[in-house]
Amino acid sequence: GERGAAIDAAAGLSSAAKCLALTNLAGLLSAQGQHAGAEALHRRALDLTVEQFGPEHLQTAASTCQLGGLLVKARRYDEARALYESARAAREKALGGRHLDVAATLHALALLLSDQGDHEAALPLHQQCLEIEEEVLGAGAAHPRVAASLGALALALKSAGKPHAAEGYYRRSLMALERLHGPHHLRVAAALNNLAELLRGLEKYEEAAPLFVRALALFEKHFGGDHPNVATALNNLAVLHRAQGQYDKAEPLYRRALHIREKALGPEHPALATTLTNLAVLLEKQGNLAEAEPLQRRALAVREAAHGPNHADVAGSLNNLAVVLKQQGRVEEAAELYARALATFEALHGTHHPAVAGALNNLAGVRRDQGLVEEALPLYQRSLEIREQTLGADHPDVVASLNNLHALLAELGRAEECVPLLRRQLAALEAGGGGTARLKMAAALSNLGRVFQELGQGAEALAVYKKALALLEKKSGGEDPEVQATREAVTALLLQQEQGEEAERLLKRWISVDRKLYGEQHQAVVQSMSKLADMQHKLGKAQEAVRLMQKVLQLTKRIWGPDSPLLAEQLSRLAEWRMAEGRAKDAEDAMTRALQIREDAFGPEHALVANSLTSLADAVDKQGRTGEAAPLRLRSARIRSSHPGTADLDVQRPPQPQLDNSLSMPEREGGVDLQWGVRHSVPSVPTGRCRSARVRSTGPLSAEGPGDGDGQAWGR
């Protein structure tokens, strides 16, 4: 009734006034979710404008943009883009290329491209928009449009995998807003959150923490402690704590955020799904899959009830539930959910979208876990192709896809195909930088070294292993498992290439470095000294090896105690060396003590006890005491008969990590699949009515998407 009355009232107006009335009524219907009625009114307004002013008039361009904005909301991107391009051409023709209305159209086009996942194409439009605004309004102007464009460009850079470039624009946006509104405004709180989230992604946790805390305090001041916007700020601070591994700090924040949302919005509100997902992801990281699964199922149910089955958020929840099931070993159920998520994303976005690439990646991972590697391969390849084309060659998701594809090809024995993938991965990591880039480069170099080894290219393998080690040693010393593994790979290759002296020199240098880091009485130092003694003995430096091993024995007693099985292992090696030197009595003394330790530690019937008995019998027999040796051999044989397959090996060293996968990589290498729906937008801030030239509001909005539970996004 009211709509009909408004239309009747508009009938008596002039054409220009009628168009404005129709546009305002369309905006009201759109806000009420009546998009079909809104579209009809916008089209009537556009027809009237064309009839009155012609197709290239500025008023026609404004009406065209209004209709384009509505179509964007309906995800009819191709139709909307055509309208925006038409409006851009009309405005540039009438106003020239350096007008604020042209900048507004560029802004709208850029946002549309970002919605389609084409962030690379959006970037030059955002940059051109900002250039025009600063040219017209003044460079460094504290103007709302400039502040919004700075934030939008920062978000586009971040989404395109260029977070370092984004940081400066986020900081400028924050400064502009503080100059405009003062330090306590809600828009400042949103900008604080956005900058903090970027810093979190760059692992600049110490810089991010006070910004998140300040944003939370501002939201609590403006809204009180039980407002949904406060729940969002709590979520974002919890994400930071989770990234720092401070799960005990993150969990109560997530639970408080969930309580606030349930109380304020009700148990079935779509916003609850994000909080449920974030809490579930935290519980997964803590190994609490039993509690995480029902939370993910509830998030899925909430989203299906709110949006129906064919919605991006629903697809995200299908993915997230699949992650939990996969971690529980329920790969068949997980595969079904991943396939459903992929089908939904393809129906919504087409076949060439970053969300589709993520779903393909995750489905490939579970196919690999099912042993269906031939099915996984084309999925990984298609995911990589989409990501490179939509995100650019240096994007972190491209790095992950290259890594995943290499790992699968290595599993299939196709080592030669791995080399170019790993080289591309290294190039992308070098270009992208970031807090974890050095460690990821070390992992990729280690993977490349292993591939070269498999191809029999020892010199090439050695070169890249040394590069990996140089990167790793900037992070830590020999107590780090990755450092240990890479050092062992380097020394093993040198020994294979008969470069024993070089291997010894490097190992001595590493021991010197670790002594400075940790002191001599440290496990990493003692273990490296033990390896050096082994190497020296193999190189024929028996006396040096024995002297060093005796020192190792003293340090082992101090660190691990006189009854440590590790001490028994070292005594066994010393006894073996003494036997080789013809010093059977010294060998007997060492092996007798090793036998005592192993009997106390493992019991009298353990396989290692049998090994010690055999070695002790050899030492006794060598001294001509055959009668004493016989019962030792008999007892050893009896133990071995009860433990078939027991090897005549004394060494039982702690397992070393494998070089490929030695550092966790996004999505696959760390065993964590891509998560959807764990982001949360910045708390909403009321915005003024958008004039026709603005095309879209610059208030804070954010689409939930693949991520790690973060908050963004000013300037949308």
Side-chain angles (χ1 to χ4, degrees):
E2 293 182 6
R3 174 184 166 189
I7 294 175
D8 290 340
L13 299 175
S14 67
S15 295
K18 187 183 297 184
C19 289
L20 179 60
L22 290 169
T23 298
N24 287 340
L25 180 57
L28 178 63
L29 292 178
S30 177
Q32 295 173 342
Q34 300 181 43
H35 300 301
E39 181 181 347
L41 292 178
H42 272 309
R43 291 193 181 278
R44 282 183 61 186
L46 179 58
D47 289 342
L48 283 172
T49 307
V50 172
E51 181 181 334
Q52 177 74 17
F53 301 107
E56 297 182 348
H57 194 274
L58 290 177
Q59 190 61 43
T60 302
S63 293
T64 301
C65 285
Q66 294 287 355
L67 177 57
L70 184 71
L71 295 178
V72 167
K73 291 181 182 179
R75 299 177 184 268
R76 291 159 61 182
Y77 298 120
D78 291 339
E79 297 174 67
R81 183 171 182 176
L83 292 171
Y84 284 149
E85 292 286 6
S86 173
R88 176 186 179 182
R91 285 174 168 170
E92 287 180 339
K93 181 177 181 180
L95 303 170
R98 314 303 288 178
H99 192 277
L100 289 178
D101 283 358
V102 174
T105 316
L106 293 168
H107 181 78
L109 269 171
L111 294 177
L112 183 151
L113 291 168
S114 291
D115 287 345
Q116 291 182 293
D118 195 352
H119 304 294
E120 288 290 338
L123 280 176
L125 299 180
H126 278 303
Q127 290 166 335
Q128 188 178 350
C129 171
L130 178 61
E131 288 171 5
I132 294 171
E133 289 174 344
E134 290 191 316
E135 180 180 311
V136 174
L137 301 170
H143 191 282
R145 294 182 65 143
V146 174
S149 292
L150 286 165
L153 176 55
L155 177 59
L157 286 164
K158 178 188 171 187
S159 301
K162 301 175 181 178
H164 293 281
E167 182 178 347
Y169 290 106
Y170 270 134
R171 291 189 184 278
R172 288 176 59 191
S173 178
L174 173 60
M175 290 173 60
L177 289 166
E178 286 180 321
R179 288 170 59 193
L180 279 166
H181 305 297
H184 305 300
H185 196 274
L186 285 178
R187 291 190 179 277
V188 172
L192 286 165
N193 174 89
N194 293 343
L195 176 57
E197 165 53 26
L198 182 84
L199 294 172
R200 182 196 67 81
L202 293 172
E203 298 186 353
K204 297 181 179 181
Y205 300 138
E206 298 304 318
E207 294 182 56
L211 301 180
F212 275 131
V213 170
R214 185 180 159 198
L216 173 60
L218 287 176
F219 288 124
E220 286 181 318
K221 175 183 177 181
H222 283 277
F223 298 112
D226 295 323
H227 193 277
N229 290 347
V230 173
T232 298
L234 287 165
N235 168 83
N236 295 343
L237 181 57
V239 170
L240 175 68
H241 289 318
R242 194 184 87 192
Q244 293 174 295
Q246 299 174 352
Y247 300 150
D248 57 332
K249 292 183 179 180
E251 185 172 345
L253 297 177
Y254 278 138
R255 292 193 184 278
R256 182 184 163 199
L258 180 60
H259 173 74
I260 291 172
R261 289 188 178 279
E262 286 181 320
K263 182 179 177 181
L265 304 174
E268 304 300 326
H269 195 279
L272 253 68
T274 298
T275 315
L276 290 164
T277 299
N278 285 351
L279 179 57
V281 170
L282 179 70
L283 294 170
E284 290 167 34
K285 289 186 174 292
Q286 294 174 300
N288 188 355
L289 300 178
E291 188 177 355
E293 182 183 342
L295 291 175
Q296 294 286 24
R297 289 192 182 278
R298 183 181 168 197
L300 174 60
V302 166
R303 284 175 166 159
E304 285 182 323
H307 305 302
N310 301 315
H311 192 276
D313 290 349
V314 173
S317 282
L318 289 168
N319 175 89
N320 295 341
L321 178 56
V323 172
V324 182
L325 296 176
K326 181 182 171 187
Q327 290 179 17
Q328 292 175 316
R330 295 154 64 181
V331 292
E332 298 296 334
E333 296 173 71
E336 180 181 349
L337 295 179
Y338 281 138
R340 284 177 58 192
L342 173 60
T344 302
F345 280 127
E346 287 182 321
L348 290 171
H349 301 302
T351 59
H352 216 72
H353 189 277
V356 173
L360 286 164
N361 175 83
N362 292 347
L363 181 58
V366 79
R367 292 295 186 222
R368 183 179 173 189
D369 289 345
Q370 290 175 293
L372 304 173
V373 290
E374 295 295 344
E375 290 187 29
L377 182 58
L379 298 175
Y380 274 141
Q381 290 170 328
R382 185 179 160 208
S383 175
L384 173 60
E385 179 186 358
I386 294 171
R387 283 175 165 172
E388 284 188 314
Q389 292 182 6
T390 59
L391 302 175
D394 301 334
H395 194 279
D397 289 350
V398 173
V399 172
S401 284
L402 288 165
N403 187 76
N404 296 345
L405 182 55
H406 135 259
L408 184 63
L409 290 170
E411 188 177 323
L412 292 170
R414 295 161 62 174
E416 289 186 359
E417 296 175 62
C418 294
V419 174
L421 294 175
L422 288 166
R423 292 198 185 281
R424 286 161 61 190
Q425 186 182 353
L426 287 165
L429 286 167
E430 189 171 2
T436 60
R438 180 187 300 146
L439 302 182
K440 291 175 182 177
M441 284 184 71
L445 285 164
S446 294
N447 289 340
L448 183 57
R450 181 156 185 162
V451 169
F452 281 140
Q453 278 187 280
E454 292 176 2
L455 294 172
Q457 300 174 22
E460 290 84 352
L462 182 60
V464 294
Y465 276 139
K466 286 184 176 180
K467 289 181 181 178
L469 190 57
L471 291 171
L472 288 168
E473 287 184 329
K474 292 180 181 178
K475 168 200 170 193
S476 60
E479 71 174 357
D480 187 283
E482 287 83 24
V483 173
Q484 292 177 21
T486 311
R487 283 177 175 177
E488 289 194 357
V490 169
T491 53
L493 275 168
L494 287 170
L495 290 172
Q496 287 174 14
Q497 297 175 17
E498 298 183 353
Q499 299 183 50
E501 295 297 327
E502 174 66 7
E504 181 184 7
R505 185 191 68 79
L506 285 175
L507 192 45
K508 284 181 177 178
R509 183 176 70 81
W510 297 332
I511 291 171
S512 177
V513 169
D514 289 347
R515 277 199 185 108
K516 291 178 182 178
L517 284 173
Y518 312 123
E520 186 169 63
Q521 295 187 36
H522 189 277
Q523 295 180 9
V525 175
V526 175
Q527 288 171 345
S528 293
M529 291 170 65
S530 178
K531 292 170 186 174
L532 176 58
D534 282 337
M535 183 183 296
Q536 288 175 333
H537 195 271
K538 291 175 182 176
L539 294 173
K541 301 179 180 182
Q543 294 305 312
E544 290 182 56
V546 169
R547 285 195 299 269
L548 183 56
M549 183 58 75
Q550 288 172 336
K551 188 172 184 179
V552 167
L553 290 170
Q554 294 172 359
L555 291 170
T556 300
K557 288 178 185 178
R558 292 177 195 168
I559 298 173
W560 285 279
D563 299 317
S564 166
L566 180 60
L567 182 64
E569 176 199 321
Q570 294 163 350
L571 286 164
S572 298
R573 301 211 312 277
L574 181 59
E576 179 185 341
W577 299 350
R578 290 304 199 188
M579 282 291 288
E581 295 170 3
R583 301 178 61 170
K585 182 63 175 71
D586 291 341
E588 178 187 356
D589 293 342
M591 190 51 66
T592 299
R593 179 62 186 133
L595 175 61
Q596 291 172 349
I597 293 172
R598 284 174 168 171
E599 285 181 322
D600 291 342
F602 305 122
E605 302 299 316
H606 195 274
L608 288 175
V609 171
N611 290 347
S612 294
L613 287 166
T614 298
S615 297
L616 180 57
D618 290 342
V620 170
D621 202 4
K622 190 74 171 177
Q623 299 174 65
R625 292 150 51 198
T626 306
E628 295 179 46
L632 297 174
R633 296 189 193 283
L634 183 62
R635 183 183 165 199
S636 175
R638 181 173 54 77
I639 295 173
R640 292 177 188 282
S641 67
S642 62
H643 296 82
T646 300
D648 291 319
L649 296 175
D650 261 322
V651 178
Q652 189 184 29
R653 299 175 184 170
Q656 295 294 327
Q658 295 297 308
L659 285 173
D660 58 354
N661 308 341
S662 62
L663 292 175
S664 63
M665 297 291 288
E667 303 174 279
R668 176 69 200 173
E669 290 296 305
V672 179
D673 288 30
L674 196 61
Q675 295 279 344
W676 265 278
V678 292
R679 289 188 179 178
H680 219 296
S681 63
V682 170
S684 58
V685 180
T687 58
R689 185 184 178 104
C690 179
R691 296 189 303 126
S692 63
R694 291 297 297 144
V695 183
R696 287 175 70 180
S697 168
T698 59
L701 300 172
S702 172
E704 292 181 3
D708 220 16
D710 52 7
Q712 53 183 36
W714 175 259
R716 294 299 307 274

